[in-house]
Amino acid sequence: MAAANDQAPQAHEAEPGHYWNRAREFVELHDQVQTSVNLLDSLESFLSTFQKDLSAVSGQISELQTRSKDIDNKLKSRRRIEKPLSNLISDVTIPPLLATTILDSDVGEDWITTMGEFERRLENTRSRSRVKAARDLGEVAEGLRIVAATKLRAFFLALIQPIRSSVTTNMQVIQTSVLLKYGPLYAFLQRQAPGVAHEVQRSYISAARVYYETGFRRYARSLGWIKTRTVEKLEPITTPEADKTIRMNPKRLLHAKIEGPGVTLAFMADDKSYKEPIEALLRSLLLVFMDNATAEYTFLRAFFSVEPFMPSEDSKSSLLSPTGLLSPDRGSFTERRSSVGSDYGEPRGMPVQPNRSSSSSMISSKEERVTIDALWKQILDPVLEYCQTFVRSALDPVPPVTPLLVMIRLTESIVDEVQIRNCAAVETFVFGLRLQMWPVFQKAMTEHIESLKKLAEGFSSSYFSRAAPTTDAMVSSICERYVELFSAFIDLTNQGEETMIFSNLLRLRQELGKLILRHVNQTSDTVSRATRSSTIYEMLLQGLSKRAHLSAHPKSQQEVAYWAHLEEDARRKIISAKQSRSTR
């Protein structure tokens, strides 16, 4: 305890020296502390400044984000109007190459696409009259339109000139290979220069009228020369001369169809020995008329029909008005059978009608058809007159009844073909010719029936004289003529019932039956009468059976059954009469 107390005073005495000895360390420690405090103050100041800068940067970033959204919205708006605006600029401007083509080059195939492009720009310029740029270019476009119309007028008149200058020009080649190829250029004139288009139309009509008039006049005249070399006229069935007109070559029946013998060419008339029956000449004329008339009608419908201008898809998607530029967010901007030959020597085939989209209403279609019919009639009016004249000459004097029926069937075949070709004007004309022939046919059949009726009833030319008796040869000849006539009529008739034909044949058969009864009744002997009747009926049946190709026709079967019944009845009378004699 005492020792501890002794050490404490020593420690206190040694402590000041201890701190003094370590004063330097304490100074250094103080300096370090002061430095740390200064660093902390500096760091505090830096953090305060950084916080302010960070707040400023955050505000700038928000502002940049807002601006970025605005720019993005503007970009979307620009992109939305980029294509329509580009199309608008493209539509209202005229490229130098297009203007150079119209001003400095001649009309050719390249003009077809050029004028389509020019018309599109022309229409777009007119439809955007509220756009100042479009109004400024309007005068330039109008000037180019006038230049184009002038050049196209001269071009089409030059194409039509060969038709006017020579009848040997192949009309079909010019129509299908030349005029129809440049049809889009004429359609441009119809829409953009109607006066020029009408002038071209009148020029074509005038040239085509002269062309067809000259050609058909020469062709009809050649057929008329051939016609005078063979004159056939109607002879009653009871006259001996009827053999030549009723018993005709079966090949002549082929002239009732379109598909048959070749047509008569114009140069054949130069051979003075060349002959053709009247039905062959009429067939040649009507086939040439049908092919030329239907081809012309088809061409007129394909070339002169007014087509509405159809804008391209790019034009539809362009800005339609200046207001669209101001409010792009309102909505979307884009939502024509025979080969080519002589026009008057061989039938001409119809040119292929091009496929044309119809956007007009039914009323406008009717009006267009009336217009085309009027144009067709203006061109072919002289041809119709030549055909009418030839038909009248063919019916005067009245031809034999079979060739007359061949001509009637020919007109029916032509009407059917014309209906397929969809040419109402030609159909109406040919149907009118057919109506002219039927009364003549009825008159000719009535003459046959009346002559047979007079002979059957025993009429004579003198009131006081007795009628001349009939002979077996006379009756046999008349029966043979009847069979020939019946067979020809059946061959020319496809229908099972046709009143005009079969009513006349029925009347003719009734009068023939009366004639046979009168002839056999000239004999008082019953067996002889029945035998002669059976012989005549059997001869009729044999004549009808020779035409095996007609057996399928119901009227032919009825005819055979009728005469077979009479022949069987006559045989029964023969047997009955012989039995009566034997019993006596």
Side-chain angles (χ1 to χ4, degrees):
M1 191 69 182
N5 291 330
D6 290 340
Q7 291 177 355
Q10 293 177 1
H12 285 291
E13 291 177 358
E15 185 174 351
H18 172 75
Y19 286 110
W20 181 259
N21 292 335
R22 299 185 66 178
R24 185 177 180 181
E25 294 178 4
F26 290 125
V27 171
E28 291 178 356
L29 180 59
H30 178 270
D31 292 340
Q32 290 177 359
V33 171
Q34 187 65 39
T35 302
S36 296
V37 171
N38 293 336
L39 288 174
L40 289 174
D41 291 340
S42 176
L43 181 60
E44 181 182 8
S45 177
F46 174 77
L47 289 176
S48 177
T49 303
F50 178 75
Q51 185 177 10
K52 294 179 180 179
D53 293 342
L54 188 60
S55 298
V57 170
S58 176
Q60 292 176 356
I61 291 175
S62 295
E63 183 181 355
L64 288 175
Q65 288 178 339
T66 303
R67 291 179 62 187
S68 177
K69 290 181 180 179
D70 292 341
I71 293 173
D72 187 56
N73 291 333
K74 291 180 181 180
L75 178 61
K76 290 181 179 179
S77 299
R78 297 296 187 271
R79 286 178 176 174
R80 189 176 299 166
I81 68 173
E82 178 183 4
K83 185 177 180 180
L85 181 60
S86 175
N87 290 334
L88 173 63
I89 296 174
S90 175
D91 290 342
V92 299
T93 56
I94 298 176
L97 181 60
L98 190 150
T100 302
T101 301
I102 296 176
L103 294 173
D104 298 337
S105 67
D106 295 330
V107 179
E109 293 186 24
D110 58 327
W111 271 55
I112 297 176
T113 55
T114 298
M115 297 313 297
E117 178 66 16
F118 173 66
E119 185 173 14
R120 181 180 68 83
R121 296 176 182 275
L122 185 62
E123 290 294 333
N124 290 335
T125 301
R126 291 173 178 170
S127 64
R128 295 168 176 79
S129 58
R130 286 183 291 176
V131 181
K132 184 178 184 302
R135 292 197 302 271
D136 294 341
L137 286 171
E139 294 183 3
V140 177
E142 182 66 16
L144 291 176
R145 182 193 68 84
I146 294 174
V147 172
T150 303
K151 287 190 174 184
L152 290 176
R153 171 187 176 277
F155 175 74
F156 279 111
L157 293 181
L159 293 182
I160 295 171
Q161 184 58 33
I163 302 174
R164 186 188 304 275
S165 60
S166 176
V167 75
T168 59
T169 301
N170 195 312
M171 175 74 90
Q172 185 182 16
V173 172
I174 291 181
Q175 289 177 342
T176 58
S177 300
V178 181
L179 290 176
L180 283 180
K181 180 174 68 174
Y182 293 107
L185 298 183
Y186 181 78
F188 170 83
L189 290 179
Q190 285 181 312
R191 294 186 292 265
Q192 305 300 334
V196 177
H198 184 70
E199 181 182 356
V200 172
Q201 183 186 89
R202 298 310 306 168
S203 179
Y204 173 81
I205 291 174
S206 175
R209 180 184 176 95
V210 173
Y211 176 84
Y212 285 117
E213 191 276 335
T214 304
F216 268 88
R217 172 166 46 82
R218 295 176 182 178
Y219 187 56
R221 183 174 58 196
S222 299
L223 295 181
W225 291 341
I226 300 174
K227 173 179 173 294
T228 58
R229 297 168 189 168
T230 305
V231 178
E232 291 181 326
K233 61 180 181 178
L234 177 68
E235 296 291 346
I237 193 173
T238 57
T239 61
E241 292 81 4
D243 283 338
K244 297 179 181 180
T245 59
I246 293 179
R247 296 179 182 179
M248 54 185 286
N249 189 342
K251 292 183 178 179
R252 292 178 63 177
L253 302 182
L254 298 177
H255 294 292
K257 300 179 179 179
I258 295 178
E259 297 80 7
V263 299
T264 301
L265 306 181
F267 71 87
M268 294 179 178
D270 297 336
D271 182 3
K272 299 190 181 299
S273 62
Y274 181 79
K275 297 180 180 180
E276 285 285 0
I278 184 62
E279 67 272 16
L281 298 178
L282 181 64
R283 176 176 176 271
S284 298
L285 180 70
L286 291 183
L287 287 186
V288 172
F289 165 74
M290 176 188 70
D291 285 334
N292 281 273
T294 53
E296 185 63 30
Y297 188 86
T298 304
F299 168 76
L300 293 175
R301 188 169 52 192
F303 189 76
F304 289 107
S305 296
V306 180
E307 285 188 349
F309 177 71
M310 302 299 293
S312 64
E313 292 299 324
D314 290 341
S315 298
K316 293 179 182 179
S317 63
S318 61
L319 296 176
L320 300 180
S321 67
T323 57
L325 289 169
L326 303 177
S327 54
D329 293 330
R330 293 183 184 176
S332 176
F333 292 100
T334 305
E335 302 304 352
R336 173 332 274 95
R337 147 180 110 170
S338 59
S339 60
V340 176
S342 170
D343 288 307
Y344 298 97
E346 300 176 0
R348 287 176 44 197
M350 295 188 300
V352 178
Q353 182 177 356
N355 186 16
R356 301 157 66 89
S357 59
S358 175
S359 59
S360 58
S361 63
M362 185 176 295
I363 296 178
S364 63
S365 297
K366 290 181 179 179
E367 293 176 351
E368 181 177 300
R369 186 168 61 249
V370 170
T371 301
I372 297 301
D373 289 349
L375 295 178
W376 181 87
K377 194 172 187 309
Q378 292 178 41
I379 293 174
L380 291 174
D381 196 45
V383 176
L384 301 181
E385 185 59 36
Y386 289 132
C387 291
Q388 282 278 16
T389 301
F390 189 86
V391 170
R392 285 195 292 265
S393 68
L395 299 178
D396 187 22
V398 177
V401 67
T402 302
L404 182 56
L405 184 58
V406 169
M407 291 188 284
I408 293 174
R409 295 305 187 211
L410 171 64
T411 59
E412 294 173 353
S413 299
I414 291 178
V415 168
D416 293 339
E417 177 64 21
V418 169
Q419 288 177 346
I420 296 174
R421 300 186 185 188
N422 192 21
C423 184
V426 179
E427 179 185 351
T428 301
F429 174 74
V430 178
F431 189 78
L433 297 180
R434 176 170 171 257
L435 293 180
Q436 293 179 31
M437 295 178 184
W438 274 120
V440 180
F441 174 81
Q442 182 60 47
K443 180 180 178 181
M445 287 301 299
T446 301
E447 187 170 342
H448 281 307
I449 295 168
E450 290 299 323
S451 66
L452 196 56
K453 181 179 180 180
K454 289 181 180 180
L455 185 61
E457 293 179 352
F459 290 161
S460 64
S461 57
S462 174
Y463 181 78
F464 297 100
S465 62
R466 296 177 58 187
T470 56
T471 63
D472 289 341
M474 177 191 299
V475 175
S476 297
S477 296
I478 294 175
C479 289
E480 290 175 358
R481 295 167 199 157
Y482 171 79
V483 170
E484 291 288 340
L485 204 61
F486 179 85
S487 301
F489 280 19
I490 293 295
D491 200 17
L492 292 170
T493 305
N494 295 325
Q495 300 178 7
E497 292 291 339
E498 189 167 353
T499 304
M500 184 67 76
I501 300 296
F502 296 114
S503 63
N504 283 295
L505 283 177
L506 178 61
R507 292 172 59 198
L508 196 64
R509 187 179 71 182
Q510 291 172 347
E511 299 304 330
L512 179 61
K514 293 178 183 178
L515 175 63
I516 294 173
L517 289 178
R518 182 207 166 199
H519 173 67
V520 299
N521 287 334
Q522 292 178 153
T523 302
S524 58
D525 184 63
T526 304
V527 176
S528 298
R529 286 201 304 269
T531 302
R532 295 173 73 178
S533 297
S534 177
T535 301
I536 295 173
Y537 296 148
E538 186 175 357
M539 179 187 63
L540 286 167
L541 288 172
Q542 289 177 354
L544 292 172
S545 63
K546 290 180 181 178
R547 279 75 176 178
H549 63 286
L550 303 177
S551 59
H553 198 284
K555 289 297 181 180
S556 179
Q557 297 173 359
Q558 294 175 13
E559 188 73 13
V560 171
Y562 175 80
W563 294 113
H565 173 74
L566 293 180
E567 197 274 337
E568 184 179 353
D569 187 61
R571 285 184 180 275
R572 285 199 298 266
K573 290 180 179 179
I574 293 174
I575 296 173
S576 176
K578 287 182 178 180
Q579 289 176 349
S580 298
R581 284 186 180 183
S582 62
T583 56
R584 293 177 185 175

